[in-house]
Amino acid sequence: LSSVVFEVAHRSENSTIYWHLDEQFVGETKEFHQLAINPTEGKHKLVLVDKNGERLERKFEILGRME
């Protein structure tokens, strides 16, 4: 299976972002906000939360593997 690399920018340089996929914690990033995730086929929700509680939510769908 291939990973998908997600990337986000934050206005504060030293911010920490906590990443959640389908309500499960999958990692945290600081300064460089890129995270490789390996979601299964289907619909998903990615939620990012910073130390101040600011949230960013995005829904996406994995259609299938490329061969």
Side-chain angles (χ1 to χ4, degrees):
L1 293 173
S2 298
S3 294
V4 178
V5 177
F6 291 90
E7 181 176 15
V8 68
H10 196 286
R11 64 180 150 251
S12 298
E13 283 183 22
N14 295 320
S15 63
T16 300
I17 296 180
Y18 304 94
W19 300 66
H20 302 81
L21 180 65
D22 301 328
E23 300 184 24
Q24 293 188 357
F25 177 76
V26 292
E28 67 182 66
T29 56
K30 187 169 181 162
E31 294 183 36
F32 299 103
H33 301 296
Q34 292 182 341
L35 190 67
I37 301 174
N38 195 1
T40 58
E41 282 187 40
K43 295 182 180 183
H44 299 279
K45 182 167 74 168
L46 183 65
V47 178
L48 310 179
V49 183
D50 71 7
K51 65 180 180 179
N52 298 319
E54 297 291 326
R55 296 170 60 94
L56 175 67
E57 297 184 20
R58 292 293 181 261
K59 293 181 180 178
F60 66 95
E61 184 174 2
I62 301 295
L63 299 175
R65 293 178 11 159
M66 295 180 60
E67 304 206 16

Coordinates of all heavy atoms in Angstrom, one line a residue:
L1 N 0.8 -1.2 0.0 CA 0.0 0.0 0.0 C 0.9 1.2 0.0 O 1.9 1.3 0.6 CB -0.9 0.0 1.2 CG -2.0 -1.1 1.3 CD1 -2.7 -1.0 2.7 CD2 -3.0 -0.9 0.2
S2 N 0.4 2.3 -0.7 CA 1.1 3.5 -0.7 C 0.6 4.5 0.3 O -0.6 4.5 0.6 CB 1.0 4.1 -2.1 OG 1.6 3.3 -3.1
S3 N 1.5 5.3 0.8 CA 1.1 6.4 1.7 C 0.7 7.6 1.0 O 1.1 7.9 -0.2 CB 2.2 6.7 2.6 OG 2.5 5.6 3.5
V4 N -0.1 8.4 1.6 CA -0.5 9.8 1.1 C 0.2 10.8 2.0 O 0.1 10.6 3.2 CB -2.0 10.0 1.1 CG1 -2.4 11.3 0.6 CG2 -2.7 8.9 0.3
V5 N 0.9 11.8 1.4 CA 1.5 12.8 2.3 C 0.6 14.0 2.3 O 0.3 14.6 1.3 CB 2.9 13.1 1.7 CG1 3.5 14.2 2.5 CG2 3.8 11.9 1.7
F6 N 0.2 14.3 3.5 CA -0.6 15.5 3.7 C 0.3 16.7 4.2 O 1.3 16.4 5.0 CB -1.7 15.3 4.8 CG -2.7 14.3 4.3 CD1 -2.6 12.9 4.4 CD2 -3.9 14.8 3.6 CE1 -3.6 12.1 4.0 CE2 -4.8 13.9 3.1 CZ -4.7 12.6 3.3
E7 N 0.0 17.9 3.8 CA 0.8 19.0 4.2 C -0.1 20.2 4.5 O -1.1 20.4 3.9 CB 1.7 19.4 3.1 CG 2.6 20.6 3.4 CD 3.6 20.9 2.3 OE1 3.4 20.4 1.1 OE2 4.6 21.6 2.5
V8 N 0.2 20.9 5.6 CA -0.5 22.1 6.0 C 0.4 23.2 6.4 O 1.5 22.9 6.9 CB -1.6 21.7 7.1 CG1 -0.9 21.4 8.4 CG2 -2.6 22.8 7.3
A9 N 0.0 24.4 6.3 CA 0.8 25.6 6.8 C 0.1 26.2 8.0 O -1.1 26.2 8.1 CB 0.9 26.6 5.7
H10 N 0.9 26.7 8.9 CA 0.4 27.3 10.1 C 1.0 28.7 10.2 O 2.2 28.9 9.9 CB 0.7 26.5 11.4 CG -0.1 26.8 12.6 ND1 0.1 28.0 13.3 CD2 -1.1 26.2 13.2 CE1 -0.7 28.0 14.3 NE2 -1.5 27.0 14.3
R11 N 0.2 29.7 10.7 CA 0.8 31.0 10.7 C 1.8 31.2 11.8 O 2.6 32.2 11.7 CB -0.4 32.0 10.9 CG -1.1 31.9 12.2 CD -2.2 33.0 12.3 NE -3.3 32.4 13.1 CZ -4.5 32.1 12.6 NH1 -4.8 32.2 11.4 NH2 -5.4 31.6 13.4
S12 N 1.9 30.4 12.8 CA 2.9 30.5 13.9 C 4.0 29.5 13.6 O 3.8 28.3 13.4 CB 2.3 30.2 15.2 OG 1.3 31.1 15.6
E13 N 5.3 30.0 13.5 CA 6.4 29.1 13.1 C 6.6 27.9 14.0 O 6.9 26.8 13.5 CB 7.7 30.0 13.2 CG 7.9 30.9 12.0 CD 9.2 31.6 12.1 OE1 10.1 31.1 12.8 OE2 9.3 32.7 11.5
N14 N 6.5 28.0 15.3 CA 6.8 26.9 16.2 C 5.6 26.2 16.7 O 5.7 25.6 17.7 CB 7.7 27.4 17.4 CG 9.0 27.9 16.9 OD1 9.7 27.3 16.0 ND2 9.5 29.0 17.5
S15 N 4.5 26.2 15.9 CA 3.3 25.6 16.4 C 3.4 24.1 16.3 O 4.2 23.5 15.4 CB 2.1 26.1 15.5 OG 2.3 25.7 14.2
T16 N 2.7 23.4 17.1 CA 2.6 21.9 17.1 C 1.2 21.6 16.6 O 0.2 22.2 17.1 CB 2.8 21.3 18.4 OG1 4.1 21.6 18.9 CG2 2.7 19.8 18.4
I17 N 1.1 20.7 15.6 CA -0.2 20.3 15.1 C -0.4 18.8 15.4 O 0.5 18.0 15.2 CB -0.3 20.6 13.6 CG1 -0.3 22.1 13.4 CG2 -1.6 20.0 13.1 CD1 -0.4 22.5 11.9
Y18 N -1.6 18.5 15.9 CA -1.9 17.1 16.2 C -2.9 16.6 15.2 O -3.9 17.3 14.9 CB -2.6 17.0 17.6 CG -1.7 17.6 18.7 CD1 -1.8 19.0 19.1 CD2 -0.7 16.9 19.3 CE1 -0.9 19.5 20.0 CE2 0.2 17.4 20.2 CZ 0.1 18.8 20.6 OH 0.9 19.3 21.5
W19 N -2.6 15.5 14.6 CA -3.3 15.0 13.4 C -4.1 13.8 13.9 O -3.7 12.9 14.6 CB -2.3 14.5 12.4 CG -1.4 15.5 11.8 CD1 -0.4 16.2 12.5 CD2 -1.3 16.0 10.5 NE1 0.2 17.1 11.6 CE2 -0.3 17.0 10.4 CE3 -2.1 15.7 9.3 CZ2 0.0 17.6 9.2 CZ3 -1.7 16.3 8.2 CH2 -0.7 17.3 8.1
H20 N -5.4 13.8 13.4 CA -6.3 12.7 13.7 C -7.0 12.2 12.4 O -7.5 13.1 11.6 CB -7.4 13.2 14.6 CG -6.9 13.7 15.9 ND1 -6.4 15.0 16.1 CD2 -6.7 13.1 17.1 CE1 -6.0 15.1 17.3 NE2 -6.2 14.0 18.0
L21 N -7.0 11.0 12.2 CA -7.7 10.4 11.0 C -8.9 9.5 11.5 O -8.6 8.6 12.3 CB -6.8 9.5 10.2 CG -7.4 8.9 8.9 CD1 -7.8 9.9 7.9 CD2 -6.4 7.9 8.3
D22 N -10.1 9.9 11.1 CA -11.3 9.1 11.5 C -11.3 9.0 13.1 O -11.5 7.9 13.6 CB -11.3 7.7 10.9 CG -11.3 7.9 9.3 OD1 -11.9 8.8 8.8 OD2 -10.8 7.0 8.7
E23 N -11.0 10.1 13.7 CA -11.1 10.2 15.2 C -10.0 9.4 15.9 O -10.2 9.2 17.1 CB -12.5 9.8 15.7 CG -13.6 10.7 15.1 CD -15.0 10.4 15.7 OE1 -15.1 9.8 16.8 OE2 -15.9 10.7 15.0
Q24 N -9.0 9.0 15.3 CA -7.8 8.4 15.9 C -6.6 9.2 15.7 O -6.3 9.6 14.6 CB -7.6 6.9 15.3 CG -8.8 6.0 15.7 CD -8.4 4.6 15.3 OE1 -7.4 4.3 14.7 NE2 -9.3 3.7 15.6
F25 N -5.8 9.4 16.8 CA -4.6 10.2 16.7 C -3.6 9.4 15.8 O -3.4 8.2 16.0 CB -4.0 10.4 18.1 CG -2.7 11.1 18.2 CD1 -2.7 12.4 18.0 CD2 -1.6 10.4 18.4 CE1 -1.4 13.1 18.0 CE2 -0.3 11.0 18.4 CZ -0.3 12.4 18.2
V26 N -3.0 10.1 14.9 CA -2.0 9.5 14.0 C -0.6 10.1 14.0 O 0.3 9.6 13.4 CB -2.5 9.4 12.5 CG1 -3.7 8.4 12.4 CG2 -2.9 10.8 12.0
G27 N -0.5 11.3 14.7 CA 0.8 11.9 14.8 C 0.7 13.4 15.1 O -0.3 13.9 15.2
E28 N 1.9 13.9 15.3 CA 2.0 15.4 15.5 C 3.2 15.9 14.7 O 4.2 15.1 14.5 CB 2.1 15.7 17.0 CG 3.4 15.3 17.6 CD 3.4 15.6 19.1 OE1 2.6 15.0 19.9 OE2 4.3 16.4 19.5
T29 N 3.2 17.1 14.3 CA 4.2 17.8 13.6 C 4.5 19.1 14.3 O 3.7 19.7 14.9 CB 3.9 18.0 12.1 OG1 2.7 18.7 12.0 CG2 3.7 16.6 11.4
K30 N 5.8 19.6 14.1 CA 6.2 20.9 14.6 C 7.1 21.5 13.5 O 8.0 20.8 13.0 CB 7.0 20.7 15.9 CG 7.3 22.1 16.5 CD 7.8 21.9 18.0 CE 8.0 23.3 18.5 NZ 8.1 23.3 19.9
E31 N 6.8 22.7 13.2 CA 7.6 23.5 12.2 C 7.2 23.0 10.8 O 6.6 23.8 10.0 CB 9.1 23.5 12.4 CG 9.4 24.3 13.7 CD 10.9 24.3 13.8 OE1 11.6 24.5 12.9 OE2 11.4 24.3 15.0
F32 N 7.6 21.8 10.4 CA 7.3 21.3 9.0 C 6.1 20.4 9.1 O 6.3 19.3 9.7 CB 8.5 20.6 8.4 CG 9.7 21.5 8.3 CD1 10.8 21.4 9.2 CD2 9.8 22.4 7.2 CE1 11.9 22.2 9.0 CE2 10.9 23.3 7.1 CZ 11.9 23.2 8.0
H33 N 5.0 20.8 8.7 CA 3.8 20.1 8.9 C 3.4 19.2 7.7 O 2.6 19.5 6.9 CB 2.6 21.1 9.2 CG 2.9 21.9 10.4 ND1 3.0 21.4 11.6 CD2 3.1 23.2 10.5 CE1 3.3 22.3 12.5 NE2 3.4 23.5 11.8
Q34 N 4.1 18.1 7.6 CA 3.9 17.1 6.6 C 3.8 15.8 7.3 O 4.6 15.5 8.2 CB 5.0 17.0 5.6 CG 5.1 18.2 4.7 CD 6.3 18.0 3.7 OE1 7.1 17.1 3.8 NE2 6.2 18.8 2.6
L35 N 2.8 15.0 6.9 CA 2.6 13.6 7.6 C 2.2 12.6 6.5 O 1.2 12.9 5.8 CB 1.6 13.8 8.7 CG 1.5 12.6 9.6 CD1 2.8 12.4 10.4 CD2 0.3 12.7 10.5
A36 N 2.8 11.5 6.5 CA 2.5 10.4 5.6 C 1.5 9.5 6.3 O 1.7 9.1 7.4 CB 3.7 9.6 5.1
I37 N 0.4 9.3 5.7 CA -0.7 8.4 6.3 C -1.1 7.4 5.2 O -1.0 7.6 4.0 CB -1.9 9.3 6.6 CG1 -1.5 10.4 7.6 CG2 -3.0 8.4 7.2 CD1 -2.7 11.3 8.0
N38 N -1.5 6.2 5.7 CA -1.8 5.1 4.8 C -3.3 4.7 5.0 O -3.6 3.7 5.6 CB -0.9 3.9 5.1 CG -0.9 2.9 4.0 OD1 -1.6 3.1 3.0 ND2 -0.2 1.8 4.2
P39 N -4.2 5.6 4.5 CA -5.6 5.3 4.7 C -6.1 4.2 3.8 O -5.6 3.9 2.7 CB -6.3 6.6 4.3 CG -5.4 7.3 3.4 CD -4.0 6.8 3.8
T40 N -7.1 3.5 4.2 CA -7.7 2.4 3.4 C -8.7 3.0 2.4 O -9.0 4.2 2.5 CB -8.5 1.5 4.4 OG1 -9.5 2.2 5.1 CG2 -7.6 0.8 5.4
E41 N -9.2 2.2 1.5 CA -10.2 2.7 0.5 C -11.4 3.1 1.3 O -11.8 2.6 2.3 CB -10.6 1.5 -0.4 CG -9.6 1.3 -1.5 CD -10.1 0.3 -2.5 OE1 -11.3 0.4 -2.9 OE2 -9.3 -0.5 -3.0
G42 N -12.1 4.2 0.8 CA -13.3 4.6 1.4 C -13.2 6.1 1.8 O -12.2 6.8 1.5
K43 N -14.2 6.5 2.5 CA -14.3 7.9 3.0 C -13.7 8.1 4.3 O -13.7 7.2 5.2 CB -15.8 8.4 3.0 CG -16.4 8.4 1.7 CD -17.9 8.8 1.7 CE -18.5 8.8 0.3 NZ -19.8 9.3 0.3
H44 N -13.0 9.3 4.5 CA -12.3 9.5 5.7 C -12.4 11.0 6.1 O -12.8 11.8 5.3 CB -10.8 9.3 5.5 CG -10.5 7.9 5.2 ND1 -10.4 6.9 6.1 CD2 -10.2 7.3 4.0 CE1 -10.1 5.7 5.5 NE2 -10.0 6.0 4.2
K45 N -12.1 11.3 7.4 CA -12.1 12.7 7.9 C -10.8 12.9 8.6 O -10.4 12.2 9.5 CB -13.2 12.9 8.8 CG -13.2 14.4 9.3 CD -14.5 14.8 10.0 CE -14.6 14.2 11.4 NZ -15.7 14.8 12.2
L46 N -10.0 13.9 8.1 CA -8.8 14.3 8.7 C -9.0 15.6 9.5 O -9.6 16.5 9.0 CB -7.8 14.6 7.6 CG -6.4 15.0 8.0 CD1 -5.7 13.8 8.7 CD2 -5.5 15.4 6.8
V47 N -8.6 15.5 10.8 CA -8.8 16.7 11.7 C -7.4 17.1 12.2 O -6.7 16.2 12.8 CB -9.8 16.3 12.9 CG1 -9.9 17.5 13.8 CG2 -11.1 15.9 12.3
L48 N -7.1 18.3 12.1 CA -5.9 18.9 12.6 C -6.2 19.9 13.7 O -7.1 20.7 13.6 CB -5.1 19.6 11.5 CG -4.9 18.8 10.2 CD1 -4.1 19.7 9.3 CD2 -4.2 17.5 10.5
V49 N -5.5 19.8 14.9 CA -5.8 20.6 16.0 C -4.4 21.2 16.5 O -3.5 20.4 16.7 CB -6.5 19.8 17.2 CG1 -6.8 20.8 18.3 CG2 -7.7 19.1 16.7
D50 N -4.4 22.5 16.7 CA -3.2 23.1 17.3 C -3.3 23.2 18.8 O -4.3 22.9 19.4 CB -2.8 24.4 16.6 CG -3.7 25.6 16.9 OD1 -4.6 25.4 17.8 OD2 -3.5 26.6 16.3
K51 N -2.2 23.7 19.4 CA -2.2 23.8 20.9 C -3.2 24.8 21.5 O -3.6 24.7 22.6 CB -0.8 24.2 21.4 CG -0.4 25.6 21.0 CD 1.0 25.9 21.5 CE 1.4 27.3 21.1 NZ 2.7 27.7 21.6
N52 N -3.8 25.7 20.6 CA -4.8 26.6 21.0 C -6.2 26.1 20.8 O -7.2 26.8 21.1 CB -4.7 28.0 20.3 CG -3.3 28.6 20.6 OD1 -2.9 28.6 21.7 ND2 -2.7 29.2 19.6
G53 N -6.3 24.9 20.3 CA -7.6 24.3 20.0 C -8.2 24.7 18.7 O -9.4 24.3 18.4
E54 N -7.5 25.4 17.9 CA -8.0 25.7 16.5 C -8.0 24.4 15.7 O -7.1 23.6 15.7 CB -7.1 26.7 15.8 CG -7.0 28.1 16.5 CD -8.3 28.8 16.4 OE1 -9.0 28.7 15.4 OE2 -8.7 29.5 17.4
R55 N -9.1 24.2 14.9 CA -9.3 23.0 14.2 C -9.4 23.2 12.7 O -9.9 24.3 12.3 CB -10.6 22.3 14.7 CG -10.6 21.9 16.1 CD -12.0 21.4 16.5 NE -12.5 20.3 15.7 CZ -12.4 19.0 16.1 NH1 -11.8 18.7 17.2 NH2 -12.9 18.1 15.3
L56 N -8.9 22.3 12.0 CA -9.1 22.2 10.5 C -9.6 20.8 10.2 O -9.0 19.8 10.6 CB -7.8 22.5 9.8 CG -7.9 22.4 8.3 CD1 -8.8 23.5 7.7 CD2 -6.5 22.5 7.7
E57 N -10.8 20.7 9.5 CA -11.3 19.4 9.2 C -11.5 19.3 7.7 O -12.0 20.3 7.1 CB -12.7 19.2 9.8 CG -12.7 19.2 11.3 CD -14.0 18.9 12.0 OE1 -14.9 18.3 11.3 OE2 -14.2 19.2 13.1
R58 N -11.1 18.2 7.1 CA -11.3 17.9 5.7 C -11.7 16.5 5.5 O -11.1 15.6 6.1 CB -10.0 18.2 4.9 CG -9.5 19.6 4.9 CD -10.5 20.4 4.0 NE -10.0 21.8 3.9 CZ -10.5 22.8 4.7 NH1 -11.4 22.5 5.6 NH2 -10.1 24.0 4.5
K59 N -12.7 16.3 4.7 CA -13.1 15.0 4.3 C -12.5 14.6 2.9 O -12.4 15.5 2.1 CB -14.7 14.9 4.2 CG -15.3 15.1 5.6 CD -16.8 15.0 5.5 CE -17.4 15.2 6.9 NZ -18.8 15.2 6.9
F60 N -12.2 13.4 2.8 CA -11.6 12.9 1.5 C -12.0 11.5 1.3 O -12.4 10.8 2.2 CB -10.1 13.1 1.4 CG -9.3 12.3 2.4 CD1 -8.8 11.1 2.0 CD2 -9.1 12.7 3.7 CE1 -8.0 10.3 2.9 CE2 -8.4 12.0 4.6 CZ -7.8 10.8 4.2
E61 N -11.8 11.0 0.1 CA -12.1 9.6 -0.3 C -11.0 9.0 -1.0 O -10.4 9.6 -2.0 CB -13.4 9.5 -1.1 CG -13.8 8.1 -1.4 CD -15.2 8.1 -2.1 OE1 -15.8 9.2 -2.4 OE2 -15.7 7.0 -2.3
I62 N -10.6 7.8 -0.6 CA -9.6 7.0 -1.4 C -10.4 6.0 -2.3 O -11.2 5.2 -1.8 CB -8.7 6.2 -0.4 CG1 -8.0 7.1 0.6 CG2 -7.8 5.3 -1.2 CD1 -7.0 8.0 -0.1
L63 N -10.2 6.2 -3.6 CA -11.0 5.5 -4.5 C -10.5 4.1 -4.8 O -11.3 3.2 -5.1 CB -11.2 6.2 -5.8 CG -11.8 7.6 -5.7 CD1 -11.8 8.3 -7.1 CD2 -13.2 7.5 -5.2
G64 N -9.2 3.9 -4.8 CA -8.7 2.6 -5.0 C -7.2 2.7 -5.3 O -6.7 3.8 -5.5
R65 N -6.6 1.5 -5.4 CA -5.1 1.5 -5.7 C -4.9 1.8 -7.2 O -5.6 1.3 -8.0 CB -4.6 0.2 -5.3 CG -4.6 -0.1 -3.8 CD -4.1 -1.4 -3.4 NE -3.4 -2.1 -4.5 CZ -2.6 -3.1 -4.3 NH1 -2.3 -3.5 -3.1 NH2 -2.0 -3.7 -5.3
M66 N -3.8 2.4 -7.4 CA -3.3 2.6 -8.8 C -2.4 1.5 -9.1 O -1.5 1.1 -8.3 CB -2.6 3.9 -9.0 CG -3.5 5.1 -8.8 SD -2.6 6.7 -9.0 CE -2.1 6.6 -10.6
E67 N -2.5 0.8 -10.3 CA -1.7 -0.3 -10.6 C -0.9 0.0 -11.8 O -1.1 0.8 -12.6 CB -2.6 -1.5 -10.8 CG -3.4 -1.7 -9.5 CD -3.7 -3.2 -9.3 OE1 -3.2 -4.1 -10.0 OE2 -4.6 -3.4 -8.5

